Amino acid sequence: MKKSTAAKQAMVVFGALSLGWLAIELAFKPILDKARAAMDKSDPARDPDEDHAVVDEAARKSSADSEITTED
């Protein structure tokens, strides 16, 4: 009977961890849903620090192009 107590202990621990995980998921569901949606929308290849430089450079190019086309 001593061997079955180890298995029972493992099942109790596994059950407690499962219930704890479920409690956390239910308690923080709105926050977790927003975080998961944000992660789904995000592009891992995009660097937000480089976006400003790209936008500024594109604006400069477009203004330079408009000056060239207005001179023609």
Side-chain angles (χ1 to χ4, degrees):
M1 290 289 178
K2 293 288 182 185
K3 291 181 182 178
S4 66
T5 58
K8 286 180 186 178
Q9 280 182 330
M11 291 303 293
V12 168
V13 168
F14 181 74
L17 289 173
S18 298
L19 286 175
W21 182 262
L22 182 63
I24 289 171
E25 286 284 330
L26 290 175
F28 296 108
K29 184 172 177 55
I31 296 168
L32 292 172
D33 286 343
K34 287 180 185 178
R36 289 176 181 143
M39 285 190 290
D40 288 342
K41 290 180 189 176
S42 70
D43 181 13
R46 184 178 74 86
D47 186 7
D49 294 334
E50 293 180 358
D51 284 349
H52 298 294
V54 171
V55 170
D56 292 340
E57 186 177 326
R60 282 189 224 130
K61 284 183 180 179
S62 66
S63 65
D65 290 342
S66 65
E67 290 174 6
I68 293 171
T69 56
T70 57
E71 291 177 2
D72 290 338

